[in-house]
Every structure is written in C-alpha cells, then in structure tokens.
Amino acid sequence: MAKQEFLSHSEENYLKVIFQLAGQERLKVSTNALADKLCAKPSSITDMLKKLSDKKLISYKKYQGCGLTVKGEVIAIQIIRKHRLWETFLVSKLSFGWEEVHDVAEQLEHIQSIKLIDKLDEFLDFPKFDPHGDPIPDRAGNITYRKSKIKLAEAAINAVVEVVSVDEDSPSLLKYLDEIGLRLGSRIKVFERIPFDSSLKIEIVGVQKMYISEKVADNIGVRFIEKL
Amino acid sequence: MAKQEFLSHSEENYLKVIFQLAGQERLKVSTNALADKLCAKPSSITDMLKKLSDKKLISYKKYQGCGLTVKGEVIAIQIIRKHRLWETFLVSKLSFGWEEVHDVAEQLEHIQSIKLIDKLDEFLDFPKFDPHGDPIPDRAGNITYRKSKIKLAEAAINAVVEVVSVDEDSPSLLKYLDEIGLRLGSRIKVFERIPFDSSLKIEIVGVQKMYISEKVADNIGVRFIEKL
DNA sequence: AAATATTTTTAGGCTCACCTAAATATTTTC
DNA sequence: GAAAATATTTAGGTGAGCCTAAAAATATTT
Ligand SMILES: [Mn+2]
Ligand SMILES: [Mn+2]
Ligand SMILES: [Mn+2]
Ligand SMILES: [Mn+2]
C-alpha cells in the first residue's frame, strides 16, 4: 500500500479544484483560474503549485499551467468521493435541502478515515449519484460519467428531456429550481427558444409551463428522451 | 443572538480540554496539565492562553492557571456535544466498535454547522449517553451527569454494580473490555480485593468470573445496585 | 514587429500555532 | 528562611498559507 501522506485541507482543496477545472479532457489549469475558484491571489497559487509539484502531486512548468499526476488524481477523486457521499448523507438521512449541503460537505470532505467513508457508502446503499446528479466515485476511484448528458440550454426544440444534474455551486439557483418544481428526474418539454435573450419556453411535465433564462438553462444537465 | 465567532480547531481543542481538566468542580487548570493533554510545550500553551484570554474565552492570570468564562464554557460544551453525538452515530449507525470512534470524532467535532448537529441529534433519537457512557449535552448545553457514579476500583466488596461508563481514551482498554465481555449495562459482582496489587476478583454476570487489575477497574464507572 | 495588455512569478511581509533556550516565579525541601 | 526543584513565562525562531507590490513572461492588438 502506498504510504499515507497527510495533506493539509488547503492542499486537498487545490487538488480537488485542479481536477474539476481540468475536466474530463484533462486540460491544463491556469494559475488565474485557480485563483478565481479558490479565492486567493495568483501569487499564493504559485506558491502552492510549487509545493504540490515538489510532492509529485501535480505537473507544473512555469507559465504553462498545471495538471494532476496519477498520484494527485487518485487523491482528488477520493476527496470528491467523500464530498458527494456526505452530501448524499445530508439529504437522504438528515433531510437537508439540496441547496444546503455543499458548504457542509466542503468541511466534511477533509475528514481522514477510509473506514468512515466506506461505511458511510454502505449505509447509504452505495449511491451512484449525489443530490445534484453528479457521479460518486467508487472506492477504487472509478467514476461513471453519464454519457449522453447535455445542457438544457443546448437541447433541441420540441424535445422531451430528463433532468439528470444541476450545477450545485449556487444555493440560490437550487432554491429557485425547488420553487418552480424542477428536480432531478423531472421531464421537460422544450417548446421554443426566444431569439432576443435565448430564454426557453418549457413545460416541466406534471407541474407547469414557464420561461427560464438561458443562464438557468445553462446550469441544468439533461438527457434526451424523445421528440414531441 | 451572540455573534458567531469563528475559532480555529486549535482554539476549540484548548477550550474542550480546559473544560475536561477543570472537571465538575471547575478547578483551575495548569499550564503543564494542558501541555500534557495537548501534546505541546508549556510555552506554546502560554501563547494560546493569552490569546484565549484576550478573546474573553478564559480567565487567566500569569502563574495562576486558567478557567473557562461563561462564553468559553458554552463553546466547550457544544464541542463536546458534537464529539459525543458523532461517536454515537459511528457506533449506532455505521457499526464502528467503541474503541474506533474517538479519533474520528476528534475531527468531526470541529465541523461548523448547528443545523447539522441538531439534525444528527434527531436522527439518533436524542441519545442521552455516548458509546462510552458519557452524557451528551443537549442543544441548550445542559449536561445531566449521573449522580451516583463511582469507579469500579472503589466499589465495596460483595456489591453488585452496573457498568455505566468506561474511559474512552485508550482503544486498547476498550478492546480488552470487549474481549472479556464487559460492556455498558453489564452487571458485576465484586468478590474480593487482592491486597498485594489491589486487583479485583469479580464476576461479569452471565459471562465469567475473573480478575481485573486496579488500573482497569479505575477506568470503569459503575453504580451500586445491591448487596450480594 | 512593436506596443500594449494580460498573466504569472518573484520578493518581501504577515499571522497562526507551534518550537527551543533562557529567564523568572512559585513550590518544596532542608 | 535559604537553597533546590519545579512550573511558567519571555524571547526569539520556524513553516504553512496567505498577502501586496514589482518584475518578468506571454498573449493580443495595432
Ligand atoms: Mn458540493
Ligand atoms: Mn454535489
Ligand atoms: Mn471521544
Ligand atoms: Mn466518548
């Protein structure tokens, strides 16, 4: 077994954010992008990138951005696993709203105990997705991404789609979606894209017809079901 | 509502340990006692005592030890509440052994979310005691200490007693107690105190007769049930 | 290609929570 | 009550993780 290196909360957060910003295509992540996401100055980012590079957790060449090494990615995925399992716990067992769990999970994801997280996984019955529809990595680090996911903003007119994920970062968006009756699993009929502002005329099946802004639609992940 | 001051993990640990070392009699706590318990040098303790004193969380006069203020005690009790609720969660919901939970709870007790802890309390059905028999403060901070608790080491010969608590600090003691079949609620008949080493000849009712050392007996809390 | 704008790094500083070594206060022993 | 032992504080220092200001590299515009 690889030596258990203990990383600080800060180091763990950097790895997690690098993983997320790199995306599935594993793009290089820029210093400024990290500074934005981590709410720190670029100079602070540079400091940490040097440290993570020394520890072989990222590849980093001056001015060229950074990317996770295998070692770094393994750790990043475990942190994401913890984050999403904790979010699932909060929603399914403690009846938190989906807009309330992210901040608490940001703390809980740093608890060090492999046994805890595996037991939690079992207690939750090995959930595949978190409350926002994001995939939960298994204990080996495998992530099964939904293959045919698109943004609602990009859905074809006259399609019926199913909501499979929502962007979790903004509690106010999540509360709004709650209020209009849009949740994971909701069916949505896409009627019309208004040319002026690209807002969408939709029906949340079984709930209501309404307009939603492009910005909202851009934060909702859906999969195609059928033509109207 | 009092302003939510955010304390570091370190500050929280100091308050918790001061509370525990002061005991129910609220004795002054010495710098060295804190250094021992917190595994830090006395000079580091002094630094922190000054800081906590500036924040009005403790009363502190040079060379005279320290004690919690009301404000400090309120916080300390909330940390202990969190610690014990998490321990209870780990044992009752995730089937951890009682010797495995303390270290994880040391981390979990610092998670900042009043809602989380209240929901957890509810989820656990408002437990009154943690897996080691220690009382769990309620959300208002009230602690109901068991009134007639004594150490097994001090129990009278020919008494039958019930185990109500165990010292949680040593996993190896807890594993040993597991192995000999001694748990919370166990009845114990006290037959004889061996003069040479003050070890006890006992019967764990329904399990076995055996000898236990004074040191072990000193870490088991019991209440008197009846004379043999 | 040069000028300008943007991004990133370097240099130097700060706070936190710890440390060692030395000084000082308190307690215990004779 | 003085000497010795112990407890505590002060003084000065360290690394982690942040900061600002200035310098250097890269990207964009003209
Ligand atoms: Mn989240
Ligand atoms: Mn999520
Ligand atoms: Mn404990
Ligand atoms: Mn306990």
Side-chain angles (χ1 to χ4, degrees), chain A residues 87 130 132 134 168:
Chain A
E87 285 188 342
D130 85 356
H132 314 101
D134 292 313
E168 68 170 10

Side-chain angles (χ1 to χ4, degrees), chain B residues 8 10 14 39-41 43-44 47-48 51 63-64:
Chain B
S8 66
S10 217
Y14 273 76
C39 298
K41 301 294 161 182
S43 52
S44 306
D47 284 351
M48 183 62 95
K51 199 205 316 186
Y63 296 102
Q64 305 310 128

